[in-house]
Amino acid sequence: MRSPIFDKDNHRDPSTDRYVLESSKLLRVGMGPEIVAQKGAMVAYRGHLDFAHQGSNGFGNFLKKQFTGEGKNLMRVSGQGEAWLAIQAQEIFLMELENEGLTLNTDHVLAFDATLQYEPRMLGNAGLMSGGLFNLEIGGSGMVAVVSDGTP
C-alpha cells in the first residue's frame, strides 16, 4: 500500500512513543498492548489490527451501559501496527494517569490504554429515574487521549 500519509516525512514527530500527536487533530497510536477507542475514530491503520466492540465487563456494567448510554460507543483495538485516530477535527489532548482517575463524557474520549479500568458513573444528587447525569470514570495508570472543540 502506498500513500503519502505513511511517509516518514509526514510524521510530525518521528518519535517511537506509543501515543504521538501527528497534528493537534490526529493521533497516531503504536499498537502492541490493546487500547480502547471511540467507535468511528479510526482514520487509517497499518499492520495487523483487530477492531472489536468493547464488552461491558460484567453484568452490572452491562445494565449501567444500557441505561446510561455511557461506554456503548467504544471498541477494543488489538494487534500489531499503528492506528491513526481522530474525531470530527476536534483538538486532541493527552493525559497520563499515574494511579489516579478521571471522569469524562464518552463523546470526549478518543482512546485509552486497555489496562485502565472504566465504568459509567452517575454524577450529582439526581436519582436514576430523574435522568441524572452520567459520565465515564477511567482510573489506574496509563494514557488517555481526550478531544475538545478547542482548548479546554
Side-chain angles (χ1 to χ4, degrees), residues 56-86:
S56 55
N57 295 330
F59 186 69
N61 282 344
F62 171 77
L63 290 176
K64 284 182 186 177
K65 288 179 184 182
Q66 293 303 311
F67 185 77
T68 66
E70 292 298 322
K72 289 175 75 173
N73 293 325
L74 298 175
M75 64 180 171
R76 187 169 285 265
V77 185
S78 60
Q80 296 296 316
E82 297 175 297
W84 284 264
L85 306 171

Side-chain angles (χ1 to χ4, degrees), residues 54-112:
Q54 173 58 33
S56 55
N57 295 330
F59 186 69
N61 282 344
F62 171 77
L63 290 176
K64 284 182 186 177
K65 288 179 184 182
Q66 293 303 311
F67 185 77
T68 66
E70 292 298 322
K72 289 175 75 173
N73 293 325
L74 298 175
M75 64 180 171
R76 187 169 285 265
V77 185
S78 60
Q80 296 296 316
E82 297 175 297
W84 284 264
L85 306 171
I87 299 174
Q88 299 179 355
Q90 293 183 345
E91 300 289 327
I92 301 170
F93 302 91
L94 298 175
M95 298 180 194
E96 186 168 1
L97 300 182
E98 296 174 342
N99 202 24
E100 51 201 345
L102 181 65
T103 301
L104 299 163
N105 182 292
T106 305
D107 292 341
H108 297 282
V109 175
L110 177 60
F112 57 90

Side-chain angles (χ1 to χ4, degrees), residues 131-148:
L133 179 63
F134 291 90
N135 279 342
L136 192 66
E137 186 176 272
I138 302 172
S141 295
M143 192 66 75
V144 179
V146 300
V147 295
S148 175

